[in-house]
Amino acid sequence: MEKRKGQGLFITLCVAPAVILFTIFMIVPTLNVFRMSLFERGAYSPTETFVGFNNFKILFSDPKFIASMQNTILLIVVVTVVTFAFALTFAAILTKEKIKGQNFFRVIFYIPNILSIVVIAGIFSAIYKPENGMLNSILSMFSGKTVMLLWKDQPLVVISVIIAMVWQAIGYYMVMYMASMSSVPLSLYESASLDGAGRITQFFQLTIPLVWTNIRTTLTFFIISTINMAFLFVKSMVAKGMMDVGLSFMYNQKDAGLYGYSMAAGVIIFLFSFLLSAFVNRATKREPLEF
């Protein structure tokens, strides 16, 4: 009995610092965001005026906020689909096909993930430069005339951000899926080949189901992280006012002195991400396929 009490005390002492820090730096600020969303307050003013849900009423009728959330949803859908499609395809090719230098390709694809967003934004800003950027130079070479597309202006700015986000994320998930796919026994693919299943059929009916648990887990985390990544890319790459996502709209309201209104936007984004993760987790639930 005394031994169990001693073990319980030891576990409590080990866990307590993490719980305390999490409460102070995560739980309390989150609850404070909910509280502040019900008040009207300037960014640097101590005076608070309770307005109830008035901030939310204004928010849902604000066309700029609606447009920013539409951009957020667009980036989540497109970036997720394109990233996972390429990551799974490249992982399957590098895992199953006998390609020389597989480790080299792993490193090359993974490098963008270790670069900071600011560095990636700088790289793509140079690529998108209208006068002598690499992208316009390539298009000019193939078209035979000078191309001066403004990649970071409307209407191409969304496409430019999508390309940068996909390039940054593919390598990380490709490496993760390669690890999962390499654990699938080759005998399963040999049996499928004897039954007449081609490479594409094996990919969709054998490889994907067998690594589905990994796909499902990474999919949920990626969708939620895309909300934050979209903000970082927009702030680093795009001129102010050219494109907004949910979090950049929230920060702009804070900079304008509308602190309570900004917190209301933060609450909506928090609830949106929470509900989205629950929906994705529910929609992708299926019985695991074992081998």
Side-chain angles (χ1 to χ4, degrees), residues 124-130 135-136 149 151-152 160 163-164 237:
F124 276 90
S125 293
I127 292 173
Y128 294 143
K129 197 172 182 181
L135 193 53
N136 279 347
L149 290 176
W151 290 94
K152 295 199 296 179
S160 301
I163 293 173
M237 284 181 57

Side-chain angles (χ1 to χ4, degrees), residues 149-259:
L149 290 176
L150 302 177
W151 290 94
K152 295 199 296 179
D153 290 346
Q154 294 292 349
L156 298 175
V157 62
V158 176
I159 297 175
S160 301
V161 173
I162 288 173
I163 293 173
M165 292 179 67
V166 170
W167 184 80
Q168 187 269 341
I170 284 178
Y172 176 77
Y173 292 95
M174 185 198 75
V175 171
M176 291 190 67
Y177 296 144
M178 286 182 68
S180 298
M181 292 178 185
S182 61
S183 64
V184 179
L186 294 176
S187 58
L188 294 178
Y189 293 107
E190 294 172 355
S191 299
S193 298
L194 293 175
D195 290 337
R199 296 295 180 87
I200 297 178
T201 302
Q202 292 178 26
F203 177 75
F204 284 103
Q205 296 188 6
L206 192 61
T207 304
I208 296 297
L210 288 174
V211 300
W212 183 254
T213 301
N214 191 12
I215 294 174
R216 182 188 178 208
T217 303
T218 54
L219 181 63
T220 303
F221 283 107
F222 180 76
I223 289 175
I224 302 307
S225 66
T226 301
I227 298 174
N228 182 53
M229 296 298 292
F231 162 71
L232 296 175
F233 273 100
V234 167
K235 292 293 285 186
S236 301
M237 284 181 57
V238 182
K240 188 174 182 179
M242 194 58 60
M243 175 188 176
D244 267 331
V245 290
L247 288 176
S248 64
F249 174 86
M250 181 186 76
Y251 273 79
N252 290 338
Q253 301 312 305
K254 183 267 296 180
D255 293 339
L258 304 174
Y259 200 75

